[in-house]
Amino acid sequence: MAETQTPAPEAPKPEAPKVETPKPDEPTTPIQELWATAKAHSHPEVWGVTLADPATHVPSQIVLQKYLNANDGDIVKAKDQLTKTLDWRAKLQPLELIKKSYSKTKFEGLGYVTKYFAGEEKAAEENPETREVFTWNIYGGVKSIDETFGNLEEFINWRVALMELAVQELSLSTATKPITADYDPYKIFQVHDYKSISFLRQSPQVKAASTETIRVFATAYPELLKEKFFINVPAIMGFMYGVMKLFVAPKTIKKFHPMSNGGNLAREFGDSKVPGLGEKLPTEYGGKGADLKAEGKGPSIE
């Protein structure tokens, strides 16, 4: 009788390496990592945008992408800056500062926001390139250094309120066009007019206010500056540039333009998507538009 051989058991096949798949709530992109950081914070808002999932909420995508852009894609630095911004906004409540009134004696005529459009204002919602927003800081209008700059907290609150009014004009909370590392039309022109203020150069109050403003804005308002023009500049600018280099990124410093004659400002905007933008500016700055008191708006004063 032939023997029946039992087949040898097969050797176990090696297991295929396990591929780690992210959990549904696990961040998979830098933007999602920033969203996770924002969700973990008690303060829910930045620049009037109540943060939500950037995958489906364009306003949040814009805000978070700006923090990435400001840090050249470095997620660790972006998360740190976002956290510091959320901490600061939770403490200062900038949206509440807009609702307050400020001293007429201290701040009248010192700050304005203007906006200009190519065509209808509604069109800027879909094509934000057709809108330009300006903030104007008229430091030549300071009547008393001690009054305006003596209370640092009060000055910073007024200055933040002015910036928040300008950011509101970007309509970030209703924006429908996402940004990238290379495309971002949601930015503001800033003009600082130093006409007749050479007498400020030795003031410790002005230096303290300037230093604190630069520090706060570098942290809490990244990638919102399109270009900054310092016009009718006095000797104080040497000090200002020194402070800026301490807090402001080198690529941002490149956006700064000192000008000795404010009447030439209107010539600087030939590349704008708003046709004839320079002509829309006030006559004092080389345009044909209304003056800032008539056309601009600022924090409430009384």
Side-chain angles (χ1 to χ4, degrees):
M1 180 181 294
E3 292 185 359
T4 304
Q5 292 185 344
T6 305
E10 291 185 10
K13 295 180 180 179
E15 290 187 12
K18 291 183 179 179
V19 179
E20 293 290 336
T21 56
K23 299 174 183 177
D25 60 347
E26 197 172 79
T28 57
T29 64
I31 286 288
Q32 285 295 326
E33 286 192 52
L34 286 178
W35 168 225
T37 297
K39 280 195 295 184
H41 201 281
S42 60
H43 187 77
E45 167 273 338
V46 175
W47 309 331
V49 174
T50 300
L51 297 176
D53 187 347
T56 55
H57 190 238
V58 171
S60 295
Q61 186 275 339
I62 293 170
V63 171
L64 298 178
Q65 185 67 47
K66 281 182 179 286
Y67 280 82
L68 271 180
N69 292 351
N71 292 281
D72 297 319
D74 187 321
I75 186 61
V76 175
K77 291 181 179 179
K79 288 165 75 171
D80 179 65
Q81 186 172 8
L82 177 62
T83 299
K84 288 177 178 176
T85 298
L86 291 167
D87 290 345
W88 177 80
R89 294 188 74 87
K91 179 180 179 181
L92 201 68
Q93 296 293 322
L95 296 183
E96 293 302 311
L97 295 180
I98 296 176
K99 302 174 185 177
K100 293 184 176 181
S101 292
Y102 298 86
S103 167
K104 184 174 182 179
T105 303
K106 297 178 180 181
F107 301 111
E108 183 180 25
L110 302 189
Y112 299 95
V113 175
T114 60
K115 57 182 177 179
Y116 308 96
F117 299 94
E120 295 294 325
E121 182 173 346
K122 289 183 179 179
E125 294 297 323
E126 294 184 4
N127 296 295
E129 302 94 337
T130 63
R131 168 185 51 216
E132 300 288 16
V133 177
F134 283 70
T135 59
W136 305 79
N137 295 274
I138 315 300
Y139 292 125
V142 172
K143 299 176 182 67
S144 166
I145 294 173
D146 291 335
E147 287 282 349
T148 299
F149 300 103
N151 184 327
L152 180 58
E153 181 180 355
E154 186 180 21
F155 174 80
I156 293 295
N157 286 352
W158 170 82
R159 184 65 186 84
V160 166
L162 180 67
M163 183 62 178
E164 290 287 328
L165 286 173
V167 173
Q168 282 186 352
E169 298 297 350
L170 295 174
S171 301
L172 294 180
S173 62
T174 56
T176 58
K177 206 166 185 178
I179 67 172
T180 67
D182 303 310
Y183 171 80
D184 182 0
Y186 303 97
K187 294 186 178 183
I188 298 166
F189 285 115
Q190 293 185 3
V191 180
H192 288 205
D193 189 345
Y194 291 91
K195 188 175 182 179
S196 304
I197 67 159
S198 58
F199 63 88
L200 296 182
R201 80 182 106 181
Q202 300 300 329
S203 167
Q205 297 100 318
V206 173
K207 289 186 177 182
S210 299
T211 301
E212 181 64 6
T213 301
I214 292 166
R215 186 192 68 78
V216 167
F217 277 47
T219 300
Y221 297 100
E223 290 296 302
L224 284 168
L225 177 67
K226 183 170 288 188
E227 303 281 342
K228 179 177 281 191
F229 297 91
F230 300 90
I231 61 177
N232 301 313
V233 292
I236 191 175
M237 290 308 301
F239 160 75
M240 294 284 288
Y241 272 108
V243 173
M244 288 171 188
K245 288 178 181 177
L246 294 176
F247 297 104
V248 180
K251 67 177 182 180
T252 302
I253 290 285
K254 292 179 181 178
K255 300 177 181 178
F256 293 177
H257 310 288
M259 301 177 65
S260 59
N261 184 356
N264 293 330
L265 180 63
R267 303 176 186 176
E268 300 291 324
F269 304 103
D271 294 335
S272 173
K273 296 293 179 65
V274 176
L277 176 60
E279 291 190 353
K280 297 176 187 289
L281 301 187
T283 54
E284 183 178 354
Y285 301 103
K288 298 178 180 178
D291 63 26
L292 292 174
K293 289 183 179 179
E295 189 162 18
K297 70 176 185 178
S300 176
I301 57 172
E302 62 180 19

